[in-house]
Amino acid sequence: GAVVSQHPSWVICKSGTSVKIECRSLDFQATTMFWYRQFPKQSLMLMATSNEGSKATYEQGVEKDKFLINHASLTLSTLTVTSAHPEDSSFYICSASDTGTGELFFGEGSRLTVL
Amino acid sequence: QKEVEQDPGPLSVPEGAIVSLNCTYSNSAFQYFMWYRQYSRKGPELLMYTYSSGNKEDGRFTAQVDKSSKYISLFIRDSQPSDSATYLCAMRRNAGNMLTFGGGTRLMVKP
């Protein structure tokens, strides 16, 4: 099946630093990618929709200046958590929508721990 | 009321049992329906992808969509301990839209 690669899978950082997470569709083009956040034993919470070549659309309550999203190509979207704080610690998951079929595939997730 | 309702479980079954997982939804505009399996600390894995009403079978998995009742199901035959995971239903209005997820059902298959 189609593969979405997410990197890094696990990151620990100090409070106040910024962390970048990459999401790549390896064998298909993805005009649209999505970024989610998941807390333990809870379902996925959509943070933002990323469209190639345009600004991301953020869900209500998600700070766009804190969670910077860039979708510069049809295979890569990045999420940068700026000035991270311990409450930003979470599991971040990206998904990519195959432009041809509409199927949606997920990355393996990135676990962020902010000390 | 949530747009997509899913029993959180946990659902515990013996190995070899037939498992039935279900979701109901309220938005009649949904046309694309998906089931994902998520193991702990992993990203969701697409299991089944169906468009509109009907059945779709893939190995031990069968997905059913009943748009008239706004009800979708995933059946797992001959369940295995390796099927133990959280199963998420998801749906969207058209191919370009974001997904709306159910809350997930945690399944435990005991040997």
Side-chain angles (χ1 to χ4, degrees), chain A residues 60-72:
Chain A
Q60 192 173 10
V62 178
E63 300 174 60
K64 59 183 178 183
D65 293 331
K66 180 162 188 65
F67 299 100
L68 299 179
I69 290 172
N70 182 274
H71 192 159

Side-chain angles (χ1 to χ4, degrees), chain A residues 38 43 46 102 104 106-108, chain B residues 36 38 42-43 92 98-99 102:
Chain A
Q38 188 175 35
S43 192
L46 180 66
L104 192 73
F106 284 83
E108 283 292 290
Chain B
Y36 290 88
Q38 187 177 23
K42 295 286 187 181
R92 68 204 305 190
M98 65 180 190
L99 287 179

Side-chain angles (χ1 to χ4, degrees), chain B residues 11 13-21 37 47-48 55-64 73-84 87 107 109:
Chain B
L11 177 62
V13 301
E15 183 175 354
I18 296 174
V19 175
S20 173
L21 303 166
R37 175 174 63 195
L47 286 177
M48 301 290 280
N55 294 355
K56 186 173 183 179
E57 189 173 321
D58 184 0
R60 296 186 295 112
F61 299 94
T62 300
Q64 287 185 351
S73 301
L74 177 71
F75 297 97
I76 307 174
R77 290 184 297 282
D78 187 25
S79 56
Q80 303 295 310
S82 58
D83 294 328
S84 298
Y87 289 80
L107 171 66
V109 181

Side-chain angles (χ1 to χ4, degrees), chain A residues 26-91:
Chain A
L26 296 186
D27 51 2
F28 63 95
Q29 292 187 334
T31 308
T32 305
M33 292 185 174
F34 303 89
W35 287 95
Y36 300 84
R37 188 171 179 176
Q38 188 175 35
F39 292 105
K41 298 188 179 181
Q42 294 188 25
S43 192
L44 299 135
M45 183 188 78
L46 180 66
M47 298 175 65
T49 301
S50 168
N51 293 297
E52 185 265 337
S54 63
K55 290 183 178 179
T57 303
Y58 290 81
E59 295 301 301
Q60 192 173 10
V62 178
E63 300 174 60
K64 59 183 178 183
D65 293 331
K66 180 162 188 65
F67 299 100
L68 299 179
I69 290 172
N70 182 274
H71 192 159
S73 78
L74 287 172
T75 60
L76 174 64
S77 176
T78 60
L79 168 68
T80 301
V81 183
T82 62
S83 187
H85 288 95
E87 57 265 30
D88 298 325
S89 299
S90 189
F91 193 51

